[in-house]
Amino acid sequence: MARLGVLLFLVQIVLAVCALISCLSAEEGKIRALPRIAWVLIILFFPLVGSIAWFIVGREPSPGVRNGWSGGGGERQRPRPVAPDDDPEFLRSVEERAQQQDQELFQRWEEDLRRREDDLRRRDGEPPREGDRPEV
């Protein structure tokens, strides 16, 4: 019986800590019924009842979406990607930018190679050959 009492006490403490964190990190416009300080005091002095009251009455629920489902016709709403590496548009733009940079680098290398070949031909006394070069 003592183990059950300790377990319930720990659950109550964890619930109170979660409620406090939620209350203290909530935006000012999202807190309902009482001011923030009142909610903190209620959660601290009445941990079980105060925590449950905070989660049911004190905070404003997310508008129109509950557990990832839209409030409409039962269609699943796809959440926006959180990280940039989850966003397909961002990944596509990174790939396009990398391809463009690679192409510019390749063109600079080709121009540098042509310039060096022309310098070597001039040094050897041969005229530079323009017709042998492929167009890029």
Side-chain angles (χ1 to χ4, degrees), residues 114-132:
R114 287 179 186 155
R115 184 184 51 78
R116 290 178 183 207
E117 285 177 349
D118 289 343
D119 288 346
L120 285 174
R121 285 196 180 98
R122 278 191 217 114
R123 191 179 310 153
D124 292 339
E126 294 178 30
R129 295 186 293 178
E130 295 294 325
D132 293 342

Side-chain angles (χ1 to χ4, degrees), residues 78-95 97:
R78 183 171 181 241
R80 296 235 353 117
V82 179
D85 59 343
D86 291 339
D87 188 2
E89 293 176 23
F90 175 77
L91 294 174
R92 193 175 309 112
S93 71
V94 168
E95 184 178 334
R97 193 173 331 130

Side-chain angles (χ1 to χ4, degrees), residues 35-47:
R36 183 188 314 261
I37 190 71
W39 280 114
V40 169
L41 293 175
I42 289 172
I43 294 169
L44 286 176
F45 289 124
F46 308 103

Side-chain angles (χ1 to χ4, degrees), residues 47-111:
L48 184 62
V49 175
S51 301
I52 294 171
W54 163 254
F55 286 118
I56 293 174
V57 179
R59 65 182 184 154
E60 194 171 297
S62 300
V65 177
R66 188 168 269 177
N67 293 334
W69 291 87
S70 66
E75 298 174 3
R76 178 109 170 125
Q77 230 180 8
R78 183 171 181 241
R80 296 235 353 117
V82 179
D85 59 343
D86 291 339
D87 188 2
E89 293 176 23
F90 175 77
L91 294 174
R92 193 175 309 112
S93 71
V94 168
E95 184 178 334
E96 289 172 359
R97 193 173 331 130
Q99 286 177 353
Q100 182 181 6
Q101 288 173 349
D102 289 346
Q103 186 68 25
E104 290 171 1
L105 181 63
F106 180 70
Q107 287 175 352
R108 281 191 306 222
W109 284 350
E110 277 191 336
E111 290 171 5

